Amino acid sequence: DGSVRLWDTETASLARSFQLQRTPIYTVGVSPDGKWLAYGAGSRDDPAPKHVRVIDAETGTALGTLNAHDSTIRQVRFAPSGRLLASSGLQEDVRIWRFTKGIQGHSYDLSGQQDTSPEYFAIHFMDDRRLLTEFHNRHGYRIWNAEEGSVVYDYPSVSDGNVNCVSWCEGI
C-alpha cells in the first residue's frame, strides 16, 4: 500500500507510520544508527526507472532518491558502518551506494563484472567491506569486496530451489 510502519518491539504497538507513495514498497532497510530508512520501490508494470529512497526514520522526511535500477528493487541493506548501502533488483543488477556527505554519493554496478550476468535475489553485508549475494540463474553464491566491486569468492549452490534470503556468521 506504499506505507512503512515502525513497531515498538517492547510493547508490540505501532510507533510510527509513513504513507510514502501509492505503489507497493518491496523492501526496507534501517541504517545501523537507526536514523535512516531506505526502501525499494517501483512496479514491474511501470516503465520508469526504479529507485531507492532514503528517509529520516523519525519524521519520514525524504532525504534523497537513488536512481539506477531497471527492475523492481528486491532488497536494500546497509553495511554495519552505514557508509554503504546495497540494493538489488529483479533483473541482474546489484548496486552499491557509497555515502560521503549525507546521502550524496555514487553507485557502481556489481552485475556484469564477470563473464555472466546472474540474477541476484538475496544480498547481505558480512561486514563493512564484504557483501554476500545469492544468484538465481547460476545457482550459487558470491562474496564481493564492496569497496572495490571485485569478486572475492564464488561458491556453488547447495540447493536446487530458490533462495530468497542469505546471512553470514563468522566462526561457524
Side-chain angles (χ1 to χ4, degrees):
D1 69 352
S3 66
V4 171
R5 294 172 184 89
L6 302 177
W7 297 86
D8 182 316
T9 57
E10 291 182 14
T11 64
S13 62
L14 183 64
R16 289 182 291 288
S17 180
F18 306 117
Q19 184 64 46
L20 300 169
Q21 59 187 43
R22 286 186 246 174
T23 57
I25 293 172
Y26 295 101
T27 181
V28 176
V30 181
S31 65
D33 62 7
K35 293 181 179 179
W36 292 352
L37 297 177
Y39 67 92
S43 169
R44 292 179 193 209
D45 302 326
D46 184 357
K50 310 315 178 235
H51 56 266
V52 174
R53 288 208 172 117
V54 181
I55 65 170
D56 182 290
E58 188 66 33
T59 65
T61 302
L63 301 173
T65 299
L66 310 169
N67 292 308
H69 287 277
D70 293 327
S71 62
T72 301
I73 309 300
R74 180 158 173 83
Q75 291 188 335
V76 292
R77 298 287 183 266
F78 281 96
S81 68
R83 291 182 308 111
L84 298 175
L85 173 71
S87 58
S88 68
L90 286 178
Q91 293 180 352
E92 304 173 359
D93 51 347
V94 174
R95 301 281 192 272
I96 299 292
W97 307 90
R98 183 174 303 156
F99 301 117
T100 51
K101 295 180 181 177
I103 65 154
Q104 297 174 7
H106 67 280
S107 75
Y108 57 91
D109 185 1
L110 295 184
S111 51
Q113 298 281 328
Q114 299 296 310
D115 55 358
T116 62
S117 294
E119 289 181 23
Y120 292 96
F121 275 175
I123 56 176
H124 176 78
F125 273 101
M126 299 164 63
D127 54 33
D128 281 335
R129 294 195 65 201
R130 295 177 298 167
L131 177 71
L132 173 65
T133 60
E134 182 276 334
F135 38 99
H136 172 67
N137 64 355
R138 283 191 33 212
H139 299 289
Y141 304 86
R142 182 170 284 166
I143 295 176
W144 298 89
N145 177 321
E147 291 282 343
E148 299 172 4
S150 59
V151 175
V152 177
Y153 297 110
D154 261 329
Y155 297 102
S157 180
V158 294
S159 169
D160 291 331
N162 289 341
V163 175
N164 293 312
C165 182
V166 292
S167 190
W168 179 265
C169 180
E170 291 285 341
I172 290 183

